[in-house]
Amino acid sequence: MYLTPEEEKLFNGERGPTYQKAIEILVALGDIYEADRLIPIKSAQIAGVSYKTIGDAGLEWISDLKGKVAVPSILNPAGMDLECWKEMGISEDFAQKQEKIIQAYSALGVRIECSCTPYNIFDNLADFGDHVAWSESSAISYANSVIGARTNREGGPSALAAALIGKTPNYGFHLDENRKPVISIIVEAKLHDSDYGALGYIVGEMVGDKVPLFKLKSKPSKDELKSLGAAMAASGAVALYHVSGTTPEAGKYEAPKEKITIEESQIKEVYSKGEPDLIAFGCPHSSVSELERLAQLLNGKKVKKEVWICTSRAIKKNNPELIKRIEKSGAKVFCDTCMVVSPASERFTCMMVNSGKAHKYVPNLCGIKSILGRTEDCIEAAMRG
Ligand code: F3S
């Protein structure tokens, strides 16, 4: 891979070991995937934040780095609400370690916004055609598919390396030829709400890391696209998808000949029954319109079970009245974290979610049973004693 004289200097350690380590990561990736050069990025979104997932080794790695990020950079959800962690049932020990991780990122100049929906917080992180280095799988999918920005499936270390250097190797989804759909998905059902997560749950398993082009009978909202992409990235490894007549690059392509048809009965099969002791919303982090809908569904009611709603701190801070309306019902709104990456959900036995992605991850990552329901059904379950 070609390096400019300036990049060569970083590679040779002239700006110290942190930048040297960072560019070594980028060059190693570039060499593996045959990138021709490094290209500038507009932003980075860095996973590897929860102490639950990175542990002491991760904390040590980040703490050893000395430098400043070169582009706007934001974090993925941490293992706890950074303010209300006691209310979540997080231990002092975990909270201290988590706090150290956050401080280490902060010292590198990373913004302490811990969210998997950075596009709902800042509108200058990624626009159509921008190159970025994002690493949370649903955020990657949203950036590529819904915004039309360009990112590979970065890991935490490679996104941090890209943030420090301000560049990423030019391969994969940064190149036009890899953004073309290779399989058509024809959906024979009108979808709404969690159906998109259920669809993603099925399709991800079927297509793996291929780029699908959907033909849908209903027009998804941005929140529904967010759910679809998140579930496909969890059950498979889909980093980019197109929806005919909806996503920004879909019109450029012919429908691929290879096709899969999804029937309504297949979507229904993903839903499950059971009695949860925790009901959790906000995977990916709830948008303002999703919070508004939850506030309407909870209006005048009192929840009889533990209900968590996960969102970003910025959204919580900017919508105090909305949050008050939700909290009046007894539901708890947590920020900076989520039901999957926090250890707090492990003390329950069964979690009900309206998210295909959470439904996929909860059994393995939290070690508890998961039930997928529509949003209204989740609220109904919360009302049962
Ligand atoms: Fe976000 Fe956590 Fe889901 S990071 S996409 S809310 S698993």
Side-chain angles (χ1 to χ4, degrees), residues 77 116 136 138 282-285 338 340 357:
C116 49
E136 193 284 317
S138 78
C283 172
H285 272 174
C338 81
V340 173
K357 172 168 179 173

Side-chain angles (χ1 to χ4, degrees), residues 145-175:
S145 316
V146 184
I147 300 174
R150 297 179 171 217
T151 179
N152 283 319
R153 285 164 49 88
E154 301 296 344
S158 68
L160 180 55
L164 287 160
I165 305 296
K167 294 177 183 175
T168 194
N170 189 30
Y171 71 93
F173 294 113
H174 295 287
L175 304 174

Side-chain angles (χ1 to χ4, degrees), residues 2-14 23:
Y2 167 76
L3 293 183
T4 64
E6 206 42 51
E7 291 161 359
E8 287 283 1
K9 283 187 193 162
L10 295 174
F11 194 75
N12 293 330
E14 288 185 28
I23 201 160

